[in-house]
Amino acid sequence: MSLEVQIRRKLGSFELAIDLEHQEGSTAILGASGSGKSVTLQAIAGVLRPDAGRIVLNGRVLFDSSRHIDLPPQQRHVGFLFQNYALFPNMTVLDNVACGAPRGLTRRQRLALAADWIRTMQLDGFESRYPRHLSGGQQQRTALARALIGQPEILMLDEPFSALDAQLREQLIPELRKLLDTWEKDALLVTHSRDEAYELCSTMAVLDNGRLVRYGPVQEVFDNPQTMAAAALTGCKNVTPACKAGPHTVFVPDWGIHLETARAVEDHLKGVGIRAHYFSPGIAVNAFPVEIVEEVEEPFAWILKFRYAGQSPESPAIWWRLSKDRQRTSRRDTAVLGVEPHDVLLLYT
């Protein structure tokens, strides 16, 4: 299965310009609010019309501005789970699910098929309830059943956990992961949560200000984000300008230090990133004197903010995350911190 998206859309001062090729499996579209994530899904589904470009799903053209092709949503064979689930408030669970059934079926056939999906989603006994009488998780499963009953070629989920509290989200993520693992078709998941992207998807597309800035296997994107935007969006707290100082050496002006790198440094380097948990007093390479300037306690970790001896006074303090299950030795007395060369992320845009 494959999806090709090459679209342009102007929305006020914002311009979406996406070039994405999705091959198979589940892909997370990660980005900050306003980066174009939901707009991309809406364009694929046919809810929003691009100004120009082309969308092809499994060899079938859904949209092509040059050929004046623009299939209506009901002909695109796309399952769309909206951010707020968009259930019809005056319809029961059974009727909400049945309204997504393929065209051409009788009402009895639609209801029978809906009943099967209700059982699949473990909603037995809720067939006659209205959305307002359902919990957030039950509403989500109802919306998923409605999206899947038509056997779409691709399932698209727009921030499916944004309306749920943390406890319910933790309960439902494994359920959705199991569904995606057993479903034999493609899925796109829009999220601003790197944790959801990491747990649910095999590949990741990172959007920044309407542009695709990184695409690849999830673990590879985390290990080597390549861009400053992708580093920040995948949770790197320490992103700063840097320049090449040698084949495997960079200079970080704001920190006043040189760092050795495992990857070869290219001439057009723009910055480096170091994740907060990469620092350690037990690492001898890339080790420099530091001063701890702030301690922040989290439920399972300490955030220690520090400054290098020669760090620019205008630059922000650097984050070091120390798990609480490690011995609480000399947090305030730590004099030197090091970082392994392979943990220095090289960023080029």
Side-chain angles (χ1 to χ4, degrees):
M1 297 185 182
S2 64
L3 172 68
E4 300 175 29
V5 181
Q6 298 174 333
I7 55 174
R8 304 292 182 271
R9 175 64 191 259
K10 186 87 169 174
L11 296 166
S13 61
F14 175 80
E15 184 177 9
L16 181 74
I18 296 296
D19 292 281
L20 171 67
E21 290 191 20
H22 166 79
Q23 293 304 316
E24 61 180 13
S26 55
T27 291
I29 301 180
L30 181 69
S33 297
S35 60
K37 306 184 301 298
S38 296
V39 173
T40 300
L41 288 199
Q42 292 168 10
I44 297 170
V47 178
L48 177 145
R49 189 180 190 277
D51 296 327
R54 193 166 184 261
I55 303 172
V56 182
L57 176 61
N58 297 331
R60 191 165 56 93
V61 179
L62 307 184
F63 175 80
D64 191 324
S65 58
S66 65
R67 298 166 57 190
H68 305 289
I69 297 174
D70 185 15
L71 297 186
Q74 61 270 24
Q75 294 181 16
R76 295 197 176 198
H77 304 302
V78 168
F80 199 166
L81 181 67
F82 290 89
Q83 186 172 348
N84 61 358
Y85 309 141
L87 297 174
F88 296 109
N90 60 336
M91 294 173 62
T92 65
V93 167
L94 182 63
D95 286 332
N96 260 289
V97 176
C99 73
R103 291 176 174 271
L105 299 180
T106 65
R107 174 168 172 77
R108 177 175 294 181
Q109 289 172 325
R110 290 199 305 272
L111 292 177
L113 189 58
D116 289 340
W117 275 101
I118 286 172
R119 284 191 292 272
T120 299
M121 291 295 173
Q122 299 178 358
L123 289 166
D124 310 66
F126 295 90
E127 293 88 345
S128 300
R129 292 198 184 185
Y130 291 89
R132 63 182 176 274
H133 298 139
L134 301 177
S135 68
Q138 291 161 350
Q139 289 182 26
Q140 185 189 85
R141 290 199 295 271
T142 301
L144 270 172
R146 186 179 64 184
L148 294 172
I149 190 173
Q151 291 298 307
E153 294 181 38
I154 189 169
L155 173 65
M156 302 193 301
L157 306 101
D158 189 2
E159 305 248 18
F161 303 105
S162 62
L164 307 179
D165 60 57
Q167 183 176 2
L168 184 55
R169 183 164 59 245
E170 290 176 0
Q171 294 173 359
L172 293 180
I173 283 179
E175 294 183 15
L176 182 57
R177 182 170 59 241
K178 182 178 179 181
L179 173 67
L180 294 178
D181 287 343
T182 56
W183 202 49
E184 296 181 351
K185 298 179 183 179
D186 294 351
L188 293 180
L189 168 73
V190 155
T191 181
H192 63 269
S193 167
R194 62 184 183 275
D195 295 333
E196 291 175 11
Y198 195 93
E199 291 185 55
L200 291 169
C201 297
S202 56
T203 57
M204 181 186 295
V206 181
L207 267 61
D208 181 51
N209 196 29
R211 303 293 190 274
L212 180 68
V213 296
R214 186 72 167 93
Y215 179 83
V218 168
Q219 188 62 59
E220 182 181 303
V221 173
F222 273 82
D223 290 344
N224 184 22
Q226 297 182 353
T227 74
M228 299 178 89
L233 286 166
T234 55
C236 185
K237 297 298 185 182
N238 307 304
V239 178
T240 188
C243 57
K244 180 177 180 178
H248 288 271
T249 308
V250 299
F251 176 60
V252 187
D254 284 351
W255 297 349
I257 60 174
H258 287 79
L259 294 171
E260 296 179 25
T261 68
R263 295 184 179 91
V265 184
E266 299 179 27
D267 293 337
H268 60 290
L269 182 77
K270 298 296 184 184
V272 295
I274 301 178
R275 299 193 186 278
H277 61 278
Y278 284 169
F279 294 103
S280 173
I283 297 175
V285 67
N286 291 330
F288 302 95
V290 301
E291 177 189 3
I292 305 297
V293 296
E294 184 181 355
E295 295 184 7
V296 180
E297 185 175 8
E298 293 184 335
F300 305 107
W302 286 98
I303 302 298
L304 306 182
K305 298 184 181 181
F306 68 87
R307 305 185 70 83
Y308 286 116
Q311 186 169 342
S312 167
E314 293 81 18
S315 63
I318 303 162
W319 287 45
W320 172 30
R321 177 174 277 109
L322 181 65
S323 174
K324 283 185 177 178
D325 61 12
R326 293 173 56 181
Q327 191 175 3
R328 283 184 58 179
T329 57
S330 61
R331 295 196 315 273
R332 272 286 183 183
D333 298 332
T334 298
V336 175
L337 285 176
V339 61
E340 295 288 355
H342 61 75
D343 287 332
V344 178
L345 307 177
L346 301 178
L347 311 174
Y348 292 96
T349 56

